[in-house]
């Protein structure tokens, strides 16, 4: 393991070499199947022993590594760093059978998504039929503002977060029905927060409508659940009377 190139970025004044070194040391300890010494870490990542010693001393004081007669090992505190990722995987695993049941009950495609870096990230999906020109799968990303799940996730955020998001993104019209006005979108976020669901009608792609609801955890909304369908096959009335109740029931079960 040679992390020298990862630890120095001479052309980037914002890059924190000290943080990079500390993370490299932490990763080296975490990836080892046995306790490691200062010499082991120094050799593997290409840092001086003095630098490694300071990093390990700091990590030890913060509770991320521990030391015994054989060397350094990872401590329980380090698990907190990966908790959000592990929780997301657990949520997706729990959601998949529920999505499959919902798909079979309503004969429409269902998805679970989360907000990540100003985008909607698909973390679970059960497909009944392909209705969009783009193939959606786990790992697919879409903009937040023109998607039903994205609007549910944004609606759960504070107004300041919503405004900052709209400042950052390029609000492009994907169809002639896409809402791109800042004021209109803020009103939509407020309505979605009040009603508890979002219906999107041909704003992402012509011929496609979707409905989404929030999935809640102890800290609030953690994900969104949606159903996508063809406008030619499913009316708005059917969305509200048949699809939405089934979707809410699944979201409530997943939220538990």
């Amino acid at each position: 393991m040679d992390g020298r190139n990862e630890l120095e970025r001479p052309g980037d004044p914002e890059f924190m070499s000290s943080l990079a070194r500390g993370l490299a040391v932490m990763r080296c300890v975490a990836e080892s199947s046995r306790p490691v010494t200062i010499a082991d870490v120094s050799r593997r990542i290409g840092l001086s022993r003095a630098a490694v010693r300071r990093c390990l001393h700091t990590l030890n004081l913060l509770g991320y590594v521990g030391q015994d007669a054989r060397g350094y090992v990872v401590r329980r505190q380090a698990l907190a760093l990966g908790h959000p990722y592990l929780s997301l995987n657990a949520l997706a695993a729990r959601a998949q059978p529920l999505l499959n049941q919902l798909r079979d009950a309503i004969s429409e495609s269902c998805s679970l998504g989360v907000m990540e870096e100003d985008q909607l990230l698909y973390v679970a999906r059960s497909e009944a039929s392909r209705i969009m020109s783009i193939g959606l799968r786990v790992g697919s990303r879409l903009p937040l503002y023109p998607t039903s799940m994205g609007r549910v996730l944004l609606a759960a955020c504070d107004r300041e977060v919503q405004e900052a998001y709209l400042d950052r993104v390029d609000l492009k019209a994907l169809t002639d029905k896409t809402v791109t006005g800042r004021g209109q979108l803020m009103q939509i976020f407020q309505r979605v927060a009040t009603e508890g669901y979002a219906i999107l009608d041909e704003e992402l792609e012509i011929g496609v409508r979707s409905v989404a609801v929030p999935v809640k955890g102890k800290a609030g909304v953690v994900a969104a659940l949606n159903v996508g369908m063809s406008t030619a096959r499913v009316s708005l009335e059917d969305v509200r009377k048949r699809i939405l109740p089934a979707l809410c029931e699944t979201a409530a079960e997943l939220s538990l």
Side-chain angles (χ1 to χ4, degrees):
M1 174 182 176
D2 181 6
R4 174 63 63 182
N5 293 335
E6 299 178 2
L7 306 183
E8 303 292 341
R9 300 284 177 87
D12 188 349
E14 298 295 322
F15 186 78
M16 292 181 63
S17 296
S18 57
L19 177 58
R21 291 168 187 157
L23 291 172
V25 170
M26 180 75 237
R27 188 167 65 247
C28 184
V29 177
E31 291 176 350
S32 177
S33 59
R34 60 176 180 79
V36 294
T37 65
I38 291 174
D40 291 333
V41 178
S42 175
R43 182 176 63 257
R44 291 179 189 180
I45 67 176
L47 278 181
S48 69
R49 294 192 182 191
V52 170
R53 182 182 296 106
R54 290 195 298 272
C55 288
L56 287 171
H57 175 70
T58 302
L59 291 169
N60 188 17
L61 290 178
L62 294 176
Y64 293 111
V65 302
Q67 183 182 17
D68 60 23
R70 297 173 298 164
Y72 292 87
V73 295
V74 172
R75 292 178 63 185
R76 186 177 299 177
Q77 177 69 16
L79 296 177
L81 298 175
H83 178 70
Y85 176 78
L86 295 174
S87 297
L88 182 59
N89 279 355
L91 177 64
R94 234 171 0 105
Q96 193 60 57
L98 296 176
L99 289 180
N100 294 342
Q101 292 173 19
L102 179 60
R103 175 204 61 199
D104 294 342
I106 63 177
S107 299
E108 303 293 347
S109 297
C110 316
S111 304
L112 181 75
V114 298
M115 187 189 306
E116 183 173 287
E117 296 180 351
D118 289 346
Q119 291 183 311
L120 171 66
L121 172 65
Y122 282 71
V123 296
R125 181 165 170 79
S126 187
E127 193 164 284
S129 61
R130 181 170 170 176
I131 59 173
M132 296 186 66
S133 61
I134 56 173
L136 293 175
R137 60 187 184 279
V138 173
S140 292
R141 292 173 180 266
L142 290 175
L144 289 166
Y145 69 93
T147 58
S148 58
M149 285 196 287
R151 290 180 179 178
V152 164
L153 294 168
L154 285 166
C157 298
D158 294 336
R159 183 180 180 88
E160 292 76 12
V161 175
Q162 296 169 354
E163 290 177 339
Y165 164 78
L166 294 177
D167 285 339
R168 289 192 302 269
V169 299
D170 183 12
L171 302 174
K172 296 180 179 178
L174 304 180
T175 74
D176 58 1
K177 295 187 177 183
T178 308
V179 175
T180 58
R182 183 190 180 93
Q184 291 174 289
L185 286 169
M186 290 297 292
Q187 289 177 359
I188 288 173
F189 300 156
Q190 184 175 1
R191 184 173 70 247
V192 171
T194 300
E195 296 178 345
Y197 66 90
I199 293 179
L200 199 80
D201 204 18
E202 299 188 295
E203 293 188 51
L204 181 63
E205 184 170 320
I206 293 298
V208 177
R209 66 168 48 105
S210 65
V211 57
V213 297
V215 175
K216 298 179 180 179
K218 293 180 180 179
V221 175
V222 296
L225 193 64
N226 96 322
V227 174
M229 63 219 88
S230 165
T231 56
R233 189 175 63 250
V234 183
S235 67
L236 281 172
E237 181 180 7
D238 198 22
V239 170
R240 291 190 171 91
K241 289 186 176 181
R242 180 175 67 91
I243 303 296
L244 183 57
L247 186 61
C248 288
E249 184 177 342
T250 301
E253 188 172 354
L254 183 56
S255 293
L256 293 176

